[in-house]
């Protein structure tokens, strides 16, 4: 078998860009997918990855991605990483447009891309033997609700359910279905998107939290899971900083050992 090829969505920044970089360091061919062509071009120049600009909420863009992948070589793994949050308003007061966007990018885009790439994974297995992997980055917000989570909780719970059902449906095929659910990850854009570009609000959740996760921490977990022996399926990986016990339970300030009684 030659060089393995992985498709990574949400590749223009944060966890996605870090994942592209690490896969390339590990010798994989990578196709990075995102909306922003300029960011992708810079990532391609830096890493040697192949890039494909696409809006994954648009079916014609996903179809074009599928056709490009089919024409350009085998696909061994898919990392569904594209996602995001909007706002911290209550269920009562939050904007329905924010909910619609969160479902489009966190749930329907995952379904679109998975449906498009799954036949290509099967073709690769048929031609080469071995196995394939579908890994989706969700969130601990898809497992534990929190105040202000509203639409993001609902979308990530749905993404988690999607992966659970997909794993049942693919039972009997050599295709692993893996979910990585990060907790607090400090990236350059997640908070800015959530709070409409307000840098002060975006920075506030991380204030005085010792060592929130980095994009590289999550990328390391993703690549490790994909590179495990093909008979090993890490169904669900929850990764949080030590300072975070739950979505709404964070230690702020230095972590210190409690004195003995």
């Amino acid at each position: 078998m030659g060089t393995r090829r992985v498709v990574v969505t949400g590749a223009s920044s944060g966890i996605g860009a870090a994942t592209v970089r690490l896969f390339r360091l590990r010798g994989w061919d990578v196709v990075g997918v995102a909306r922003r062509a300029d960011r992708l071009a810079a990532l391609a120049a830096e890493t040697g990855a192949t890039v494909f600009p696409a809006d994954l909420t648009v079916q014609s863009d996903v179809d074009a991605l599928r056709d490009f992948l089919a024409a350009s070589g085998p696909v061994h793994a898919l990392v569904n990483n594209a996602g995001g949050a909007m706002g911290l308003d209550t269920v009562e007061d939050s904007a329905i447009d924010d909910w619609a966007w969160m479902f489009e990018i966190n749930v329907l885009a995952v379904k679109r891309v998975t449906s498009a790439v799954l036949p290509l994974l099967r073709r690769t297995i048929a031609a080469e033997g071995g196995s394939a992997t579908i890994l989706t980055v969700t969130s601990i917000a898809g497992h534990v609700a929190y105040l202000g989570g509203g639409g993001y909780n609902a979308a990530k719970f749905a993404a988690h359910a999607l992966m659970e059902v997909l794993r049942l449906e693919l039972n009997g095929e050599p295709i692993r279905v893996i979910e990585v659910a990060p907790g607090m990850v400090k990236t350059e854009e997640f908070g800015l998107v959530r709070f409409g570009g307000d840098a002060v609000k975006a920075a506030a959740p991380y204030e005085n939290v010792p060592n929130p996760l980095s994009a590289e921490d999550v990328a390391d977990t993703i690549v490790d899971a994909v590179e495990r022996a093909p008979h090993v399926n890490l169904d669900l990986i929850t990764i949080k900083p030590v300072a975070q016990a739950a979505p709404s339970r964070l230690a702020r300030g230095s972590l210190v050992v409690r004195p003995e009684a």
Side-chain angles (χ1 to χ4, degrees):
M1 184 176 70
T3 302
R4 294 169 293 177
R5 188 164 72 142
V6 59
V7 180
V8 179
T9 70
S12 61
S13 66
I15 293 169
T19 301
V20 170
R21 292 185 182 103
L22 187 53
F23 269 121
R24 289 294 296 144
L25 284 173
R26 298 284 183 87
W28 287 69
D29 284 341
V30 182
V31 179
V33 183
R35 289 182 297 107
R36 292 175 293 184
D38 57 337
R39 291 283 193 97
L40 289 178
L43 185 65
E46 174 195 344
T47 65
T50 301
V51 294
F52 191 91
D55 182 342
L56 302 180
T57 69
V58 177
Q59 186 62 47
S60 59
D61 279 18
V62 176
D63 292 343
L65 171 63
R66 175 201 62 208
D67 294 345
F68 169 78
L69 294 171
S72 56
V75 180
H76 301 85
L78 166 64
V79 175
N80 287 307
N81 168 70
M86 284 279 190
L88 271 177
D89 293 329
T90 65
V91 171
E92 180 181 10
D93 295 333
S94 52
I96 197 69
D97 286 348
D98 288 350
W99 282 57
W101 180 83
M102 285 187 278
F103 270 79
E104 280 285 354
I105 193 61
N106 292 295
V107 185
L108 300 184
V110 172
K111 184 269 187 284
R112 291 179 196 274
V113 176
T114 300
S115 292
V117 175
L118 186 50
L120 306 181
L121 296 173
R122 288 192 176 108
R123 288 181 205 171
T124 299
I125 295 168
E128 299 180 359
S131 65
T133 303
I134 297 170
L135 184 150
T136 298
V137 179
T138 61
S139 170
I140 60 171
H143 299 266
V144 181
Y146 60 90
L147 285 171
Y152 189 59
N153 280 140
K156 288 301 189 182
F157 266 81
H160 165 64
L162 193 161
M163 289 299 102
E164 292 279 287
V165 174
L166 184 64
R167 193 177 297 113
L168 295 173
E169 292 173 347
L170 296 182
N171 181 245
E173 297 188 64
I175 302 173
R176 300 182 298 182
V177 177
I178 299 170
E179 177 185 352
V180 173
M184 175 176 274
V185 185
K186 189 174 183 180
T187 63
E188 67 271 25
E189 293 194 342
F190 181 86
L192 289 173
V193 172
R194 182 165 217 166
F195 295 109
D198 188 322
V200 174
K201 286 185 177 180
Y206 309 101
E207 185 176 346
N208 211 23
V209 175
N211 298 313
L213 297 177
S214 67
E216 289 73 22
D217 291 327
V218 182
D220 185 66
T221 300
I222 291 168
V223 176
D224 176 73
V226 174
E227 290 192 330
R228 293 272 174 167
H231 69 285
V232 176
N233 196 96
L234 300 178
D235 285 17
L236 170 62
I237 307 165
T238 302
I239 172 173
K240 304 193 301 290
V242 173
Q244 184 177 39
S248 57
R249 180 65 171 172
L250 284 161
R252 297 186 188 272
S254 299
L255 301 178
V256 294
V257 176
R258 292 175 183 164
E260 293 184 22

